[in-house]
Amino acid sequence: MNTRIHPALILLTVLVYFFLIGPLIIIFGASVSDTSYLAFPPQGLTLHWFENIWEISAFRRTIVTSFQVALLGTFIALLIGIPAAYALNRHRIHLPGWLSTLFILPILVPEIVIGFSLLRSINVGLGIPVIYSLLIGHTLLVLPYVVRVISAALASFDFSIEEAAISLGSRPVKTFFTIVLPNVRSGVIAAFILAFITSINDVSVSLFLTGPGISTLPIQILAHVEQFFDPTVASVSVLLMALTIIVMIIVERTLGLTVVAK
Amino acid sequence: MKRLAGWMLSSPATLAVSLFLIIPVAATISVTFTAPGGVFAPYVEFFSSGFQRTVLWRTFEVAALTTIMALFFGLLTAYVVSRCPPWMKSVLIVLAVFPLLTGVVVRSFAWLIILGRNGVLNNTLEWLGVIERPMALLYSQTSVVIAMIYIFIPLMILVLIGVLENIPDDLLQASSSLGASPTATFVQIILPLATPGLIVGAVLVFTASFTSYATPHLLGGTRQMMMGTFLHQRAMVSFDWVSASTVAAIMVVVIVTTVLVMTRLAKRLNPMAS
């Protein structure tokens, strides 16, 4: 391209990126500060606040809960989302158009409304224990990502290969697992990662579906910040950023990061 | 047979969405119409309170300001990124994806460190001699808006990079070879073609900031209540579930209306459509 970009625009872009990354670097600095309050630049260096995460039992518990709920919720969403995405692609002509909109609904309805409604209806109304309500909420939250990403992967799959296998005598279920699924593997990985990250970071749905002894990491962070203004939360944030980096490396290695950008 | 297979395969997900989303949300909304005192009583109550009108108006204001700022800076940034050489473009996309995957609580928390009384900004300004004593920056509308722009601008940048990349290079070359200045090309070619994408980005940012909880909670406190924080306060502090349901219903109406109107507008304004 030969259109020149005005230097002022380049300066602005640099500033925007400084604005994007600067705060995350500040969190990192605050997490190693040798002070009992949040300070940047760090006064002295210590890893005490990282140890502190494990010493505070509430953090230990919520980290475990968050991972359990995210893994199990994502797994259930894949279990019900993959057949739905398959049906939407393979049997589109037999299905009404609104069905694909239905699976996007959990993104359209405000998360905080979903959380509150689930609390009212299934937790209090039906007496379903908090932990199961939380799991249901998270499954619902990540379902749209699963259906959308896997639908996109299936859209570029040539179903005549599947039909060839079936016409040669392979059973439909077996064909799905040996022909279709391996071909959309990258879509499944992308859906898994996107769903997992969404679930781990969720605030608004979890906000209402946590109870005594059962909470998730972001909710615990909010509660901790209100009571103590120490660098422990900065350390937890650094660990969450490390998790994000690991996820990005996995995505980059397996599919290329453009998948997430879409 | 085939018709049945499609329904059967999609039924678990359909059932999950119906049972755990549609019915609960419908129940929440219907509560506001069956409350004692008449059909619209909770809404009359909501809009007759000056405080609650302020909360609603503030939420509109913060979401609109966030959207406009994110649109402006996001568009210019995405334009530069889309014109970068490929290796640099990938780096810049990664740097925008990273915050997006980092989570709202962590990113809102960063602004507590920056805007706090002993925060980075106050310390820097004091050190530079601009101010003599720390300013109270937190728990103001400005701090909420700044953090919101921070939270949502990566989303805008990524949406708009995709949109701008889809504009064929030939068009821009034709424009400049016919003598148009870069500014004229931007305003007359790029902007109209990017409009549907700008609307999509605006809808995403507006709806997300209108319904957000963590950012107004951390940076606005109780003084800068928005609809999300207000809903939580009504439900979990006051235990007034009818009032909380009314807030929820108003949020749903605002979001659904925004999405429907804007996507229709985006379709109509698309110059590439026939």
Side-chain angles (χ1 to χ4, degrees):
Chain A
M1 254 327 282
N2 50 12
T3 37
R4 285 155 290 118
I5 299 172
H6 199 279
L9 266 186
I10 293 174
L11 179 70
L12 182 109
T13 305
V14 171
L15 287 177
V16 167
Y17 270 91
F18 183 71
F19 174 71
L20 274 183
I21 301 304
L24 300 178
I25 294 170
I26 288 171
I27 292 184
F28 185 77
S31 75
V32 292
S33 178
D34 195 9
T35 47
S36 58
Y37 56 92
L38 284 162
F40 184 90
Q43 308 293 305
L45 296 181
T46 176
L47 289 177
H48 168 72
W49 303 110
F50 285 90
E51 286 168 42
N52 207 32
I53 301 170
W54 290 103
E55 277 159 24
I56 301 174
S57 64
F59 272 117
R60 246 186 355 240
R61 263 203 322 269
T62 54
I63 288 173
V64 173
T65 310
S66 271
F67 271 82
Q68 286 172 334
V69 168
L71 283 173
L72 205 55
T74 302
F75 180 71
I76 300 172
L78 284 169
L79 214 58
I80 63 176
I82 293 176
Y86 176 80
L88 282 178
N89 277 274
R90 194 75 177 84
H91 303 285
R92 181 169 289 276
I93 37 168
H94 301 294
L95 294 171
W98 53 258
L99 201 60
S100 56
T101 315
L102 186 83
F103 300 131
I104 309 298
L105 270 186
I107 293 187
L108 185 67
V109 179
E111 265 186 49
I112 197 158
V113 173
I114 299 179
F116 174 59
S117 299
L118 282 175
L119 168 75
R120 275 189 68 251
S121 300
I122 65 166
N123 180 235
V124 175
L126 297 178
I128 293 178
V130 177
I131 184 74
Y132 296 113
S133 309
L134 188 65
L135 184 60
I136 289 170
H138 278 246
T139 305
L140 202 62
L141 176 73
V142 302
L143 183 66
Y145 299 100
V146 168
V147 173
R148 258 170 55 173
V149 173
I150 293 175
S151 277
L154 283 168
S156 56
F157 173 70
D158 183 1
F159 281 104
S160 60
I161 304 171
E162 187 196 21
E163 269 165 22
I166 292 175
S167 71
L168 288 170
S170 173
R171 290 194 10 255
V173 175
K174 193 188 169 202
T175 314
F176 178 79
F177 283 105
T178 53
I179 308 282
V180 184
L181 208 52
N183 271 293
V184 293
R185 195 177 51 224
S186 58
V188 177
I189 297 171
F192 176 85
I193 286 171
L194 207 57
F196 181 78
I197 280 286
T198 306
S199 174
I200 280 282
N201 286 322
D202 170 73
V203 179
S204 298
V205 170
S206 312
L207 191 60
F208 294 95
L209 303 174
T210 47
I214 294 166
S215 190
T216 64
L217 186 55
I219 304 296
Q220 174 60 30
I221 292 177
L222 288 179
H224 190 89
V225 169
E226 271 170 20
Q227 290 174 41
F228 318 92
F229 211 59
D230 67 21
T232 311
V233 168
S235 312
V236 179
S237 303
V238 169
L239 291 186
L240 278 170
M241 285 194 267
L243 179 72
T244 306
I245 292 173
I246 294 169
V247 163
M248 286 179 81
I249 292 171
I250 297 173
V251 175
E252 180 58 39
R253 286 279 157 84
T254 49
L255 324 144
L257 266 168
T258 42
V259 180
V260 186
K262 271 174 193 165
Chain B
M1 184 56 209
K2 274 212 162 163
R3 175 183 300 253
L4 213 64
W7 280 109
M8 268 170 59
L9 289 168
S10 52
S11 60
T14 310
L15 208 64
V17 174
S18 311
L19 281 181
F20 300 125
L21 180 80
I22 296 175
I23 294 176
V25 172
T28 298
I29 294 174
S30 71
V31 159
T32 64
F33 295 111
T34 52
V39 179
F40 289 106
Y43 296 94
V44 173
E45 195 273 331
F46 182 92
F47 285 102
S48 63
S49 148
F51 172 73
Q52 300 184 57
R53 280 201 307 269
T54 310
V55 170
L56 179 60
W57 174 243
R58 179 186 296 130
T59 312
F60 266 115
E61 211 172 51
V62 169
L65 272 172
T66 304
T67 309
I68 292 166
M69 300 293 272
L71 264 179
F72 179 75
F73 289 107
L75 176 63
L76 296 178
T77 305
Y79 176 68
V80 175
V81 173
S82 70
R83 300 286 135 208
C84 277
W87 69 269
M88 201 176 177
K89 197 194 285 177
S90 331
V91 172
L92 292 176
I93 288 177
V94 168
L95 287 179
V97 170
F98 180 67
L100 205 59
L101 291 179
T102 299
V104 172
V105 172
V106 170
R107 286 186 291 150
S108 303
F109 168 71
W111 288 91
L112 275 185
I113 312 179
I114 297 170
L115 299 174
R117 190 159 278 279
N118 287 306
V120 178
L121 192 63
N122 267 326
N123 283 347
T124 312
L125 291 177
E126 257 181 302
W127 182 75
L128 288 172
V130 180
I131 53 171
E132 292 205 337
R133 58 177 60 102
M135 300 180 289
L137 300 163
L138 284 180
Y139 314 122
S140 66
Q141 186 163 323
T142 315
S143 61
V144 177
V145 172
I146 291 175
M148 288 265 201
I149 297 169
Y150 178 69
I151 305 283
F152 295 117
I153 204 169
L155 194 64
M156 189 68 99
I157 292 174
L158 289 171
V159 168
L160 293 179
I161 289 174
V163 170
L164 293 174
E165 275 183 335
N166 282 338
I167 298 177
D169 265 357
D170 306 356
L171 271 178
L172 307 184
Q173 265 157 3
S175 165
S176 67
S177 68
L178 288 170
S181 69
T183 317
T185 305
F186 186 80
V187 173
Q188 291 177 10
I189 308 284
I190 294 174
L191 214 51
L193 287 173
T195 302
L198 288 170
I199 292 176
V200 170
V203 169
L204 286 175
V205 172
F206 182 85
T207 54
S209 42
F210 193 90
T211 60
S212 65
Y213 172 81
T215 314
H217 174 75
L218 278 177
L219 295 151
T222 44
R223 267 197 268 158
Q224 296 295 325
M225 249 184 227
M226 286 173 55
M227 291 295 270
T229 41
F230 187 53
L231 165 56
H232 182 253
Q233 192 263 339
R234 292 269 94 171
M236 307 306 267
V237 183
S238 314
F239 293 106
D240 185 346
W241 282 16
V242 173
S243 171
S245 303
T246 311
V247 176
I250 295 172
M251 283 170 99
V252 171
V253 169
V254 170
I255 297 311
V256 171
T257 313
T258 310
V259 171
L260 289 180
V261 170
M262 295 306 262
T263 45
R264 190 150 297 176
L265 193 68
K267 260 186 204 145
R268 186 173 300 175
L269 287 177
N270 190 352
M272 295 297 253
S274 55

